[in-house]
Amino acid sequence: MKRKNLVLALAILSTMALVACGNSGKTETKASVETEATTEKATEKATEKAAEKTSEKASEAAGEQKASNFSVSDKSLEFTAENLALESVDSSIFGEKDLTVLNVWGTFCGPCIQEMPELGEWQRNLPDNVQIIGLVADVAGKEDAEHIELANTILDKTNAHFTNIIPNNDFADLLSGVVGVPTTFFINKEGKIVGKPIVGAQVPKYKAFVEEYLKTLAS
């Protein structure tokens, strides 16, 4: 009888041990799953925060780049001169618009002449707060009748009817930085140069600059 009782007791203990081991395994598995889930959530949050920071930095960089694109010169361009009709014109003309596209060109320049029809068309369709003005680099003063006549002939043939100025010493500093024509400057209503000039006949780039600049005025 004692032997039977001992065997029965051992059997009960073995069963309890197996049940305990089984429960222990389930507990460990559940804990493991919960730990993995917590780790995944933490990783997701960290990834989201990193993405947000990257996006913020990208936005800041874009903002800084835009600000750089539209940086303004310290000095205003001040002048008193004549246009191709020998009428007096001065720097107050800049104050009439929010932005002036100043196209420096020459009567000897093929690309300058080729872009004139497009500039004329653009001038006719510009918003009211933007204007195009030409500066004819190779006209040597109001006494240079030959180049004045040639410039007027080019403008008439290309249907580019916007104000064109005869340069004088007031434009010396501006023209000293011109390495080739056409070179196009952008000038605000205070007469200050905005951004960097565009060298070469690149009307789409002129238009893109004006469009982006006007957005900064509206914001």
Side-chain angles (χ1 to χ4, degrees):
M1 179 63 70
K2 288 182 179 180
R3 183 175 177 78
K4 289 182 179 179
N5 288 339
L6 178 60
V7 171
L8 181 60
L10 289 172
I12 292 170
L13 287 171
S14 298
T15 302
M16 291 176 66
L18 289 171
V19 171
C21 287
N23 287 339
S24 175
K26 290 178 181 177
T27 302
E28 289 174 0
T29 302
K30 184 177 181 181
S32 177
V33 170
E34 290 177 350
T35 301
E36 289 178 2
T38 302
T39 302
E40 287 178 2
K41 287 182 180 178
T43 302
E44 288 176 2
K45 287 183 179 179
T47 302
E48 289 176 0
K49 286 183 179 180
E52 287 176 0
K53 287 183 179 180
T54 300
S55 178
E56 288 175 2
K57 287 182 179 179
S59 296
E60 289 175 2
E64 289 174 0
Q65 180 62 44
K66 182 172 285 189
S68 175
N69 289 344
F70 302 127
S71 59
V72 177
S73 64
D74 294 329
K75 294 182 179 179
S76 299
L77 175 58
E78 297 183 358
F79 70 90
T80 300
E82 288 83 27
N83 61 22
L84 290 177
L86 300 183
E87 299 167 335
S88 180
V89 58
D90 59 39
S91 46
S92 65
I93 194 171
F94 297 136
E96 297 175 6
K97 306 290 180 179
D98 287 326
L99 188 66
T100 296
V101 180
L102 181 64
N103 182 254
V104 182
W105 66 286
T107 60
F108 60 89
C109 169
C112 300
I113 297 169
Q114 289 169 10
E115 74 172 358
M116 278 299 167
E118 195 170 359
L119 289 178
E121 178 66 22
W122 188 29
Q123 167 66 23
R124 291 187 287 276
N125 292 283
L126 278 172
D128 292 338
N129 60 339
V130 183
Q131 65 183 340
I132 299 175
I133 292 177
L135 183 65
V136 195
D138 61 328
V139 175
K142 60 183 180 180
E143 295 82 13
D144 187 359
E146 179 183 352
H147 283 95
I148 289 174
E149 182 180 358
L150 179 56
N152 279 320
T153 298
I154 291 170
L155 294 170
D156 286 339
K157 287 184 176 180
T158 57
N159 199 24
H161 299 296
F162 48 84
T163 298
N164 275 266
I165 297 170
I166 300 171
N168 57 22
N169 287 336
D170 292 344
F171 293 95
D173 287 343
L174 179 78
L175 293 176
S176 67
V178 173
V179 296
V181 290
T183 292
T184 300
F185 294 87
F186 304 92
I187 300 176
N188 67 16
K189 65 191 312 174
E190 285 77 38
K192 295 184 177 182
I193 297 171
V194 180
K196 296 180 180 179
I198 296 175
V199 181
Q202 304 187 68
V203 178
K205 284 191 176 182
Y206 312 160
K207 291 181 177 180
F209 185 99
V210 170
E211 183 178 349
E212 290 301 314
Y213 180 75
L214 293 181
K215 286 179 183 177
T216 68
L217 299 182
S219 60

